[in-house]
Amino acid sequence: MENRIRQNVKNNLYKAAISYSFLLNKRIILKSPNFEQNNTYIIRFFKSNFAHLTGVKTTLLKEQFYQKCLEQNLDDSDFDCDSSNELKNFVKIKLRHLVNISEIFKNGVFVQESFKKGSIICNIATSDGKCTIGFVDAKFHLRPKTILDKNCLDKESKIIYVVPIIE
C-alpha cells in the first residue's frame, strides 16, 4: 500500500513538473483599475518555488528536486510524502492542483490583495474557484508562496476578476 501511494505521488510530481514548466520564463500580468495597492501585479514562477508548492519534504536542493521531477528520475530516497497521514493528505491536495497549474491563468482569475488565511500572509492571492495560489513580493515581481484547496479568498474583502496577460 505504501509503495502504491509513493508511486502515485511520484507520478503526480512528474505531471506537476511538466505543467509547472509551462509557467517558467513567463510573466503573468494582472492589471485592474480596481486594485487598491498597485494597478499591476507581475507574477513569475521559478524552479526554486516548485518543491515548496508540492508539500513533499526533500533534502535535495530546490532546483535539483524540480529537475529530477521534470526528468522523471526521482529516487524514493529523494522525497518524503508518507511519514504521517497529515503529510500524505497535505501532499495529495497540493498535487491535485499542481498537475494543472499551467491551465489556471489561461482564463480569468479572482484576485484579492493583502490575502490572509491562518498563518499564511501574501501580497495577493488568485483563485480559479478550484484552488487558491498566494504570492509574495520578490522585489521586481511576485512569486508563489502557497497553493490551497478550493477558493480560499475572503468573501468579506474586495475580490476582483482579472483576465491575466501572459508574456
Side-chain angles (χ1 to χ4, degrees):
M1 173 96 161
E2 289 298 318
N3 285 341
R4 197 187 85 210
I5 291 169
R6 182 169 279 281
Q7 190 58 49
N8 190 38
V9 167
K10 194 185 289 189
N11 290 338
N12 281 325
L13 284 168
Y14 296 160
K15 290 176 192 172
I18 291 167
S19 185
Y20 194 86
S21 72
F22 290 104
L23 298 173
L24 297 175
N25 303 315
K26 300 266 195 265
R27 290 172 11 123
I28 299 170
I29 302 166
L30 304 173
K31 268 184 156 178
S32 175
N34 297 320
F35 287 146
E36 295 174 354
Q37 296 169 10
N38 292 306
N39 289 345
T40 304
Y41 292 98
I42 298 172
I43 296 169
R44 304 256 339 255
F45 287 81
F46 297 93
K47 294 176 185 179
S48 60
N49 301 119
F50 179 77
H52 176 72
L53 293 175
T54 67
V56 302
K57 306 225 183 281
T58 183
T59 57
L60 297 174
L61 296 173
K62 295 173 186 179
E63 287 86 358
Q64 183 184 24
F65 177 77
Y66 172 75
Q67 203 60 41
K68 286 189 95 170
C69 289
L70 190 61
E71 293 169 358
Q72 301 188 13
N73 67 355
L74 277 176
D75 295 322
D76 282 349
S77 61
D78 289 338
F79 67 100
D80 177 17
C81 65
D82 52 9
S83 59
S84 70
N85 280 336
E86 184 179 338
L87 181 60
K88 272 190 255 190
N89 291 334
F90 186 67
V91 169
K92 181 180 173 185
I93 289 168
K94 289 186 172 293
L95 288 178
R96 178 184 317 143
H97 301 295
L98 274 174
V99 297
N100 297 313
I101 197 164
S102 64
E103 300 297 313
I104 291 172
F105 297 99
K106 287 188 174 179
N107 298 305
V109 291
F110 295 98
V111 180
Q112 188 166 69
E113 295 175 295
S114 300
F115 175 77
K116 292 179 183 143
K117 176 147 176 86
S119 62
I120 300 168
I121 300 171
C122 299
N123 296 66
I124 68 166
T126 62
S127 180
D128 64 352
K130 297 175 192 157
C131 73
T132 301
I133 305 174
F135 297 90
V136 293
D137 195 10
K139 201 166 185 175
F140 300 111
H141 51 265
L142 298 174
R143 65 171 177 77
K145 177 180 181 177
T146 189
I147 187 164
L148 305 167
D149 193 29
K150 301 180 184 164
N151 181 352
C152 297
L153 301 180
D154 180 1
K155 291 165 184 45
E156 302 296 317
S157 297
K158 191 172 189 177
I159 298 172
I160 301 160
Y161 184 77
V162 177
V163 176
I165 300 165
I166 301 174
E167 298 180 334

